[in-house]
Amino acid sequence: MAGEGEEMGVIARLPWWAKLGAKLILARLPVPYGVWRRVGLFRHGEMNVPTLAVKTFDAYYHRAAS
């Protein structure tokens, strides 16, 4: 039986810079946005809920101000 955290995939363990580099390369391929969104690789921001957008902004603002 796998312990907690062992079920994380290889992608979850990659450093952020490797994920970013892979996404930059994949973004150049002639694949429609809808396909990438369905497989979970690329998604436009989800700040269409005003209260969530303001809450997120406030959190970043207070973190930067302190």
Side-chain angles (χ1 to χ4, degrees):
M1 181 169 252
E4 193 171 317
E6 286 183 34
E7 63 265 356
M8 286 179 45
V10 173
I11 293 174
R13 293 185 299 229
L14 286 175
W16 67 267
W17 50 266
K19 293 177 192 177
L20 179 63
K23 281 187 169 188
L24 288 172
I25 292 168
L26 290 172
R28 301 296 296 162
L29 296 176
V31 178
Y33 168 73
V35 173
W36 292 126
R37 190 173 54 107
R38 270 184 252 128
V39 296
L41 282 176
F42 299 107
R43 262 188 315 181
H44 294 305
E46 297 181 357
M47 287 293 161
N48 53 359
V49 179
T51 55
L52 177 60
V54 171
K55 182 179 176 182
T56 302
F57 173 80
D58 283 341
Y60 283 118
Y61 177 79
H62 291 298
R63 189 171 172 188
S66 52

